[in-house]
Amino acid sequence: MKEWQLRKSDLKRYPHFDQIIKPDEIVALVTDPARVAQNSFFPLLRYMKGWQPFRSVKDSAAPRPQKKDRPIRYAARRDAYIFAYYRHLLSEPYELELERLGISHCPVAYRRIPTEADPHRGKCNIQFSREAVDRIRGLGDCFAIAVDISSYFESIDHERLKELWCRLLNVDRLPPDHFAVFKNITKYRVVDRIAAYRRLGFYGVRTTKSGHPIDGYLVPYKDIPTQLCSPRDFREKILGENGQYASLVEPNKEPHGIPQGAPISDLLANLYLIDFDVEMNELARKLGGSYVRYSDDILLVLPVTLTKARQIMDELPPRIRKYGTQLIIKPEKTSLVRYTQDCDGQRCELISGKGKNGLEYLGFRYDGQNVYLRDSTMSNLYRKVASVARNHAEATVKRYPDKSYDELCNMFNFEQFTKRFGKVEGFEPNSTNKTWTFWTYVVRAAEDFGQLGKKISGQVRKLKRHSRIRVDQEIAKALERKAKRDASGEVSIG
């Protein structure tokens, strides 16, 4: 087995209940089975990540989409290191099992799969999507069946997961250290981050100079300590052991569910459906097609009749429930698309579900002639532009409080701003390159899809103009907010 190495980038300094430990101590902890078995795991901290989806220009008259929230849960540092190490221990036997079963090509998420051109560079969703398009084009006349598992990580059955874990280790019963990791990734506990900060005095009601009470941080966020409280305060104020405070801990009492985001959860999510992958791969192989799964996104490309395609699509929900009663296919996220060959390439037709303009898969859409960035990908981009523009405008106004609107617009570093769009939502390349921006993504996608991707660049041609307008708008709004604060005498903290 490849030796596990703790990299500098693996060290974590975010606020949590445990204290920071030195790299040597981290290695000593995670590689000692006895210490892992006896480790007292802390509750995960949870916060909600919310965003407002954008309407497309074509749907400007439609109601504004409902705001979405996603729970983010993250482990204490020492626990995260343990989860990461045990992911490493399970990775090799998992890969060997995939190879033994002949399905190494089926589950493609959360794995480092080398590209053909450069074995040192891992594939990302661009390559996986391109490969799906290549399979469709190679078959000519075929059907693409795409389905999505609802709340997949929350639906993983604990007993089945334990059986599969034992199977990887070739044991009848998990060793004490592995069982400790299993127990704490299934029967996990969470504490709401704001509730913890409020209990510990970092968050609460404060009064503005104008006398208005508002909820917010009582100290700047950057000054919150990396160890949130002493062991005694943790027991009394978080666990509620002395009876003075109610416990903030929320245990997972269900016989299913693991927290998405923990360092080991992605591998366990892949492992959990390994037998389903075998079943679907065999089905597709016999029919002359293909099957792949990207976490909870399932794609079958099959050269079959419409009747057979409908039958297979209808059978997918009961098939997957054999592997867990909580596994549910989302009807609103399924699609059946027919592709037919003609002299100019292919034509697509939506038979049922979503995707009237072609199959949508891993951030892209294929209409039989060209590949496009999916509409929701563009929506995520514009949301990111708006967020970054708002933050930059607020910071610029705060830094130069005496400058006018025209002066602030002229001095705004727009080129630097365009480099700060960050990663595309849901795009995490399996490579060592952590500097990808949306522009990198667009260029890379257009290159990888070749002639099929020529429309991608056109989709973002007006982005810079839109961004410049949005920046100017946000500067004006920031100045308005500053004027109101000045008039009321309000001072913000953090």
Side-chain angles (χ1 to χ4, degrees):
M1 176 179 290
K2 185 178 178 181
E3 183 181 357
W4 181 73
Q5 293 183 340
L6 180 69
R7 300 165 300 179
K8 187 176 181 181
S9 59
D10 294 329
L11 300 177
K12 306 179 187 303
R13 300 192 64 84
Y14 49 68
H16 218 295
F17 297 124
D18 62 334
Q19 61 182 243
I20 290 178
I21 55 179
K22 297 179 180 179
D24 289 347
E25 173 59 18
I26 295 170
V27 175
L29 166 66
V30 303
T31 58
D32 186 337
R35 291 184 64 183
V36 171
Q38 296 299 319
N39 183 64
S40 296
F41 287 76
F42 285 96
L44 306 171
L45 279 177
R46 178 191 63 212
Y47 68 94
M48 302 301 294
K49 180 180 180 181
W51 72 94
Q52 177 62 59
F54 275 69
R55 289 170 292 197
S56 68
V57 175
K58 296 179 182 178
D59 298 328
S60 57
R64 191 180 191 188
Q66 186 176 1
K67 187 175 180 181
K68 295 185 178 182
D69 293 300
R70 176 187 302 152
I72 305 297
R73 293 164 292 198
Y74 55 101
R77 283 172 290 271
R78 63 188 297 118
D79 303 340
Y81 299 137
I82 291 173
F83 288 144
Y85 180 70
Y86 277 75
R87 184 195 192 283
H88 164 77
L89 293 182
L90 294 176
S91 291
E92 185 172 317
Y94 172 66
E95 293 294 332
L96 290 174
E97 183 70 354
L98 292 180
E99 186 176 343
R100 184 184 73 82
L101 296 169
I103 57 168
S104 294
H105 60 289
C106 295
V108 295
Y110 316 129
R111 298 169 60 210
R112 192 183 187 284
I113 302 176
T115 63
E116 292 80 2
D118 184 358
H120 300 292
R121 192 177 79 179
K123 292 181 181 180
C124 66
N125 68 321
I126 297 174
Q127 284 82 37
F128 297 136
S129 183
R130 188 200 68 209
E131 289 170 357
V133 171
D134 288 345
R135 288 191 292 270
I136 292 171
R137 291 173 61 82
L139 289 174
D141 295 338
C142 61
F143 288 89
I145 303 172
V147 300
D148 187 295
I149 306 171
S150 179
S151 302
Y152 174 47
F153 282 74
E154 302 297 336
S155 305
I156 291 175
D157 180 82
H158 296 165
E159 282 303 310
R160 174 169 175 77
L161 178 62
K162 185 165 65 171
E163 291 173 4
L164 290 167
W165 201 320
C166 288
R167 182 167 128 191
L168 277 194
L169 300 180
N170 195 26
V171 296
D172 295 327
R173 185 174 183 177
L174 289 178
D177 56 326
H178 280 266
F179 180 75
V181 176
F182 165 78
K183 178 182 176 182
N184 284 280
I185 203 65
T186 54
K187 296 300 182 183
Y188 61 91
R189 302 171 298 158
V190 296
V191 170
D192 181 76
R193 187 171 70 178
I194 291 298
Y197 285 1
R198 191 184 296 275
R199 181 70 58 84
L200 297 172
F202 303 125
Y203 191 93
V205 178
R206 57 186 177 84
T207 304
T208 66
K209 287 188 176 180
S210 60
H212 296 118
I214 59 172
D215 255 358
Y217 288 101
L218 303 179
V219 297
Y221 182 78
K222 63 182 179 63
D223 292 336
I224 294 177
T226 51
Q227 184 176 10
L228 290 171
C229 58
S230 67
R232 178 178 178 179
D233 280 346
F234 173 74
R235 293 191 299 271
E236 294 182 354
K237 295 183 178 181
I238 304 300
L239 301 183
E241 286 187 355
N242 66 354
Q244 183 179 353
Y245 299 93
S247 173
L248 296 178
V249 178
E250 303 170 33
N252 176 33
K253 297 181 180 179
E254 301 293 339
H256 52 81
I258 61 175
Q260 186 172 3
I264 197 174
S265 295
D266 57 354
L267 183 140
L268 297 180
N270 266 351
L271 170 64
Y272 185 75
L273 283 179
I274 192 169
D275 292 330
F276 176 76
D277 293 337
V278 170
E279 179 182 345
M280 289 296 100
N281 181 62
E282 182 64 13
L283 170 70
R285 188 189 63 80
K286 287 181 177 179
L287 295 173
S290 65
Y291 158 82
V292 291
R293 176 175 60 85
Y294 191 97
S295 188
D296 56 357
D297 287 322
I298 295 168
L299 177 65
L300 286 154
V301 179
L302 306 170
V304 294
T305 64
L306 174 58
T307 300
K308 186 64 174 178
R310 286 187 183 278
Q311 176 192 342
I312 291 171
M313 188 171 182
D314 291 342
E315 289 176 353
L316 280 176
R319 277 179 181 268
I320 201 168
R321 275 200 298 274
K322 293 188 301 182
Y323 301 94
T325 57
Q326 299 298 313
L327 295 176
I328 298 172
I329 301 292
K330 296 178 181 178
E332 68 276 13
K333 288 195 175 183
T334 63
S335 63
L336 176 60
V337 181
R338 171 161 44 195
Y339 287 92
T340 53
Q341 190 73 42
D342 66 14
C343 58
D344 296 328
Q346 288 177 298
R347 294 286 181 267
C348 72
E349 175 191 1
L350 177 66
I351 302 301
S352 64
K354 65 170 188 173
K356 61 181 180 180
N357 295 316
L359 172 71
E360 294 187 353
Y361 183 63
L362 301 184
F364 297 92
R365 175 171 59 84
Y366 174 56
D367 67 356
Q369 300 288 318
N370 297 288
V371 172
Y372 301 83
L373 295 173
R374 197 173 64 174
D375 289 343
S376 61
T377 301
M378 295 302 297
S379 172
N380 288 333
L381 170 64
Y382 283 105
R383 171 171 57 84
K384 185 71 172 179
V385 168
S387 174
V388 175
R390 188 176 306 115
N391 292 338
H392 275 240
E394 194 69 42
T396 301
V397 169
K398 185 176 181 180
R399 185 175 181 182
Y400 304 103
D402 299 325
K403 299 289 186 181
S404 68
Y405 169 77
D406 289 337
E407 289 173 322
L408 290 170
C409 288
N410 290 333
M411 69 188 301
F412 191 90
N413 190 338
F414 185 70
E415 289 304 315
Q416 182 65 26
F417 164 75
T418 60
K419 297 176 182 178
R420 293 289 301 276
F421 292 160
K423 293 181 181 178
V424 182
E425 186 74 28
F427 171 60
E428 298 178 359
N430 296 320
S431 70
T432 57
N433 188 348
K434 296 184 179 181
T435 61
W436 283 55
T437 67
F438 190 82
W439 297 110
T440 313
Y441 181 73
V442 169
V443 171
R444 173 85 171 270
E447 289 178 351
D448 276 29
F449 280 107
Q451 188 64 18
L452 287 174
K454 62 185 179 181
K455 299 288 187 180
I456 292 175
S457 298
Q459 286 182 277
V460 295
R461 191 170 293 134
K462 297 180 180 179
L463 176 62
K464 285 194 175 182
R465 181 173 177 273
H466 166 86
S467 301
R468 178 74 256 189
I469 293 172
R470 187 66 190 231
V471 164
D472 293 347
Q473 291 174 341
E474 292 298 338
I475 288 176
K477 292 178 181 178
L479 285 170
E480 290 177 7
R481 291 191 290 269
K482 178 181 178 299
K484 290 181 180 179
R485 289 195 299 267
D486 291 345
S488 65
E490 179 181 329
V491 176
S492 61
I493 298 179

